[in-house]
Amino acid sequence: MIQNRTCLAVILAAGMGTRMKSARAKVMHEIAGLPLLGHVLKTAQAVSDARAVVLGPDMAEAEALAKTLDPEASVHIQAERRGTAHAVLSVDGGVLSRFEIVLVLYGDTPLIEAATLTRLKDALDSGADLAVLGFEALDPAGYGRLIVADGRLAAIREEAEANAEEKAVSFCNSGVMALKGRHLPGLLEAIGNGNKKGEYFLTDAVALAFEKGLTAAAIEGEETEFLGVNDRSQLAEAEFLYQTRRRADAMAGGVTLQDPDTVYFAYDTELGADSVIEPHVHFGPGVKLGGSVTVKGFSHIEGAEIGDGAVIGPFARLRPGTRLSEKTKVGNFVELKNAAVGQGAKVNHLSYVGDAKVGANANIGAGTITCNYDGFAKFETVIGADAFVGSNTSLVAPVTIGEGAYVGSGSVITKTVTEGALAVARGRQIEKTGWAERLRQRKALEKKGNER
Ligand code: UD1
Ligand code: CA
């Protein structure tokens, strides 16, 4: 239940987004590993006291996301998609009017920043009844135009409704609007659907407010914050703009990016100062890097916590549940999953370590594989501190290698190796003196026989 508090953010996300040509709801498409709706919800949380999310029927995935990210948010179903004003009305009018400020956000506009929303709210505090965030568009096509008369915002004209003169206006509607809650139900009810689309446009609230003598203000912001994602190419553009912002933040925070344009962050990537990220590194969700970490080129990291001074890659893949302690080394063509690696331990070449604990300063030789899965269940491998696992070893889990133990190269280890012991589990080498020469002579004789 929404309580009587001061600012309610209403997030409109009921549209399927036909222009995406997708079976997935538009707002569930992701940038930086988080659905569009998630970006908007997170920003809304920073500037409001309550959130109401308007979804269409059959949007269970979006509802689950909203509940996970913001358990207090209320979800409202707009049964029929009859326009943005109609969508706001799916939140009960009585509820809307109880809030001092109602902030309307669109679920397909993910790049807006909290500071900009605060500026919009400030406009209401300084006397406006309604305020809209606008921007000067390089290409205004598709956006509603903000019609300003005598310094006052008089109307928003949707592109399809605009005449030639209005179409020439490049000051565009971002879709974000702040209204005094007490005026909202009256304005919404007065909005009609006498337009080409036959929809109830929230944007018509501006002209109605103007007619009623209420004050409407347009607050200008940067176009890069207001990109609306309607199709896949705008999705790619939003990703680009978001990544550009994250790369700049990373460098400002003391992280070296050798080729920033090739590093991709997730929405929640946490970086530590003095780290160096080489080209072509991809961060999936859930990554936390300590200080002075080196991530070499072409590494792919998700769901991993990485301690100070660790060195990763090139070509490393860290999957969810990876925990690297300080000064660990994970080298080329190594995959780790659900694995805790102790301080100073090394897994330097061509290994798979999954569902495992690796003790401090252990050395895992090239080509070591934890055989963690039998086709039905996953099993754990425990490798003690200071253990040395020879190259090309298969560790058939569940299995334990004791502290300081050695495993001979090429072993298939199926039983516990005791602390400090050496285990070798492979065919014993035999040697036959002079065998090669005898073979050559026999073959030479056979050849002569055949020629005769
Ligand atoms: C809208 C604005 C336009 C603005 C542009 C900015 C209106 C009428 N037009 O146009 O002035 O320049 O955004 O990006 O508001 N939605 C619902 N229920 C509905 C209709 C829409 O929840 O019945 C949601 C959509 O899911 C979407 C948002 O409202 O998240 C905006 O709808 P959309 O159809 O994308 O509007 P635009 O044509 O982009
Ligand atoms: Ca849109």
Side-chain angles (χ1 to χ4, degrees), residues 12-16 19 26-27 54-55 78 80-84 86-87 106-109 135 142-145 156-158 172-175 197 199-203 226-230:
L12 303 188
M16 260 315 280
R19 286 168 278 180
K26 173 166 75 175
V27 293
V54 178
L55 298 176
Q78 184 192 17
E80 272 180 280
R81 195 188 184 286
R82 295 170 68 188
T84 41
H86 181 260
Y106 291 169
D108 67 352
T109 310
F135 62 97
Y143 290 112
R145 310 298 206 279
I156 302 180
R157 192 75 68 234
E158 287 309 302
C172 289
N173 175 28
S174 68
K197 273 177 132 179
E199 288 190 359
Y200 297 86
F201 290 156
L202 176 64
T203 43
F226 301 138
L227 175 70
V229 175
N230 301 309

Side-chain angles (χ1 to χ4, degrees), residues 130 138 154 156 179 184 266 271 284 339 422:
L130 183 164
L138 280 176
I156 302 180
L179 304 101
L184 193 48
L271 300 170
L422 164 69

Side-chain angles (χ1 to χ4, degrees), residues 209-266:
F210 192 77
E211 281 164 25
K212 285 190 176 192
L214 298 173
T215 39
I219 304 297
E220 195 175 338
E222 288 294 320
E223 177 167 18
T224 48
E225 273 187 57
F226 301 138
L227 175 70
V229 175
N230 301 309
D231 57 33
R232 307 264 179 169
S233 98
Q234 286 167 330
L235 183 69
E237 195 175 347
E239 179 82 50
F240 169 78
L241 291 168
Y242 184 81
Q243 294 296 342
T244 305
R245 203 187 276 174
R246 292 302 302 255
R247 291 163 187 153
D249 288 350
M251 292 185 280
V255 174
T256 294
L257 304 181
Q258 287 175 345
D259 187 358
D261 293 351
T262 66
V263 176
Y264 285 80
F265 294 107

Side-chain angles (χ1 to χ4, degrees), residues 354-429:
D355 302 312
K357 291 195 184 84
V358 177
N361 300 314
N363 189 314
I364 310 299
T368 298
I369 306 291
T370 55
C371 311
N372 61 327
Y373 184 51
D374 62 2
F376 299 96
K378 304 278 167 66
F379 301 95
E380 192 184 42
T381 301
V382 179
I383 299 168
D386 301 309
F388 186 99
V389 178
S391 297
N392 197 28
T393 292
S394 298
L395 300 168
V396 183
V399 74
T400 298
I401 312 296
E403 276 188 27
Y406 270 67
V407 175
S409 298
S411 290
V412 177
I413 297 293
T414 56
K415 291 185 293 213
T416 300
V417 177
T418 319
E419 241 182 82
L422 164 69
V424 184
R426 56 169 134 91
R428 190 175 274 278
Q429 185 166 330

